[in-house]
Each structure stands twice: as structure tokens, then as C-alpha cells.
Amino acid sequence: MTADIPAGRELDALVHELVMGLPTMPMVKWTVVPGQPLTRTLDPFGVPAYSTDISAAWLVVEKLQEQGVRVDILSDWHGHRTCRVARKSEILYDALDWSDTAPLAICRAALRAVRQ
């Protein structure tokens, strides 16, 4: 479920492929920590940080708007953000759980919208 995915590279890659319609090219990244075993991770190469950078998240908003989707970004008095995505008058996703940042709320709502 998208509400469980934390902000980070995995979420960014999903948004890049499923919402933006762009391919990702995984890059192998090795981490060396003295006294620890060598660790290998896959990092999507060339994918903007949609879930942590508001300027990159705004590209997601613009992409949805190009497709005729209305995007509302809301904030409560505690500073939590949510993103509501609607096509015409039909609400595709109305966030019931709040995210601490607008980029994370935008990404989660966008993924839910494309999965509808």
C-alpha cells in the first residue's frame, strides 16, 4: 500500500515510472563501513527526489494537471499535509492519513490516483 512507503528512493522510482511514465535505470551502489560487511543497494539513477523535494514534487502536480486531474494540497493546524486528487467532480483519493511534508503527500496521492 502506498501509505506505508516512506519518503525515499523507492517511492521516487515508483512515482517516476507509474505517474510520470518515465523509465528508471537502476544503479548499483556499494557502501563501505569499516568493520561492517560490504553492502549493495540499487538506487534509481537520474530520478528526481519527488518525495522529499517540493520542486520535484511540483513536476508530479503539473503532470497530473496535464491529464485533467485536480490537485489540492491541504494543511492542518499541526503542519501536517495531505493531497487530494480529483478527476472532474469524482474524488479519486482523499487522504485520510496526513504526511509531515507536502512532497510525500503529493507522491502518495498521485500513486493512488494512477492505481484507480
Side-chain angles (χ1 to χ4, degrees), residues 46-99:
V47 174
Y50 299 113
S51 63
T52 56
D53 178 10
I54 191 61
S55 62
W58 206 254
L59 297 173
V60 175
V61 171
E62 291 172 350
K63 179 72 171 183
L64 292 171
Q65 289 175 335
E66 286 172 8
Q67 299 170 357
V69 175
R70 177 181 169 171
V71 179
D72 298 318
I73 301 165
L74 311 167
S75 179
D76 72 1
W77 54 90
H78 297 293
H80 298 106
R81 273 65 169 193
T82 191
C83 182
R84 181 174 59 207
V85 178
R87 192 177 311 274
K88 296 182 183 171
S89 63
E90 175 190 353
I91 293 177
L92 297 175
Y93 174 61
D94 193 357
L96 299 175
D97 54 285
W98 297 85
S99 297

Side-chain angles (χ1 to χ4, degrees), residues 11-45:
L11 183 57
D12 296 337
L14 284 172
V15 169
H16 198 68
E17 290 182 7
L18 299 176
V19 178
M20 304 302 282
L22 301 169
T24 58
M25 298 183 65
M27 177 178 73
V28 176
K29 184 176 170 181
W30 294 95
T31 304
V32 179
V33 177
Q36 300 282 329
L38 189 65
T39 58
R40 175 180 167 245
T41 56
L42 290 177
D43 189 34
F45 178 73

Side-chain angles (χ1 to χ4, degrees), residues 1-6 10-11 14 93 96-97 108 111-112 115:
M1 182 175 206
T2 56
D4 298 336
I5 302 174
E10 179 185 355
L11 183 57
L14 284 172
Y93 174 61
L96 299 175
D97 54 285
R108 288 177 174 170
L111 281 174
R112 288 188 181 190
R115 290 181 175 180

